[in-house]
Amino acid sequence: MSLKLPALFLVCLLLVACKLPSGDNGLSFGLTEEPTVTESPVPYTGCYFNWATQPLPDLSLEVQAAMETAGLEGVTAIAEAYGENCYDSQTNEVVYFATLETDFRVTVEVDNLEDTVALGDMLELILVTLDQFPPGATSGPQPGYIGVNFIKGEETLYLWFTVIDGESARALGLHGADLLEELQNR
């Protein structure tokens, strides 16, 4: 008898912890197949997800205008949402896009890729300009990435770092070549 009671308790515990499917077998035990609570409701649950990027044309226009207002010449800036497409598991059609973050891509035409002080100074001005579009004011719940392409003819110096890394490097008091080097190694 002493072994049956703990075994019965364990079976009951497992039944409560597991969600048994109801259906033709008649074993519903009062449980439903619907989830009870989610932290963030989603508009559709019968989907599978795939990473995706979507352009943000209105924000891109704002960012480009801010770059021009800052006096940055030869700069092209775009903003894009990074997240996941929800595909209907039956039709394979995109049902909705869930934004995780906003990323910025900036292309800069320069005269000299060897002048790391000038590139770093330009990078700092770009970052100060992007500060006008902080996480929370842009799409997605998390900070995104910043990509900066310095281009001279066929040569390119490409940087890719998080918004947080850009803020942290400047908080360390880095400027010019030091700022460029710090963010180039991210």
Side-chain angles (χ1 to χ4, degrees):
M1 181 74 165
S2 64
L3 290 178
K4 289 182 183 179
L5 192 55
L8 182 59
F9 177 73
L10 182 59
V11 168
C12 289
L13 183 63
L14 287 173
L15 289 175
V16 171
C18 296
K19 187 169 121 180
L20 294 176
S22 61
D24 295 339
N25 63 10
L27 298 174
S28 68
F29 296 103
L31 300 175
T32 65
E33 291 191 33
E34 295 298 317
T36 54
V37 178
T38 58
E39 287 187 22
S40 59
V42 290
Y44 180 78
T45 59
C47 62
Y48 62 92
F49 292 91
N50 191 28
W51 298 116
T53 301
Q54 292 193 353
L56 297 171
D58 293 339
L59 182 57
S60 293
L61 289 172
E62 289 179 45
V63 173
Q64 183 64 43
M67 294 290 172
E68 292 169 6
T69 299
L72 290 162
E73 296 179 12
V75 173
T76 304
I78 63 166
E80 55 193 13
Y82 178 74
E84 297 176 305
N85 278 329
C86 163
Y87 288 90
D88 183 291
S89 58
Q90 300 298 315
T91 65
N92 293 324
E93 299 289 323
V94 175
V95 178
Y96 69 90
F97 176 79
T99 302
L100 294 175
E101 65 193 39
T102 296
D103 297 334
F104 299 96
R105 296 183 185 272
V106 181
T107 303
V108 185
E109 294 179 25
V110 297
D111 294 327
N112 184 353
L113 286 175
E114 303 300 319
D115 187 352
T116 58
V117 173
L119 295 179
D121 289 344
M122 188 173 295
L123 177 60
E124 185 172 8
L125 186 52
I126 289 168
L127 295 178
V128 168
T129 303
L130 290 177
D131 286 345
Q132 298 173 45
F133 308 95
T138 56
S139 300
Q142 64 190 33
Y145 282 80
I146 299 171
V148 179
N149 272 338
F150 291 107
I151 298 175
K152 180 181 183 328
E154 299 294 318
E155 297 178 74
T156 301
L157 172 61
Y158 183 67
L159 307 173
W160 183 250
F161 52 89
T162 66
V163 169
I164 301 298
D165 286 341
E167 292 169 353
S168 297
R170 289 182 291 146
L172 292 172
L174 300 177
H175 305 281
D178 294 331
L179 177 65
L180 180 70
E181 182 180 351
E182 176 71 19
L183 294 175
Q184 193 173 0
N185 293 321
R186 293 294 171 150

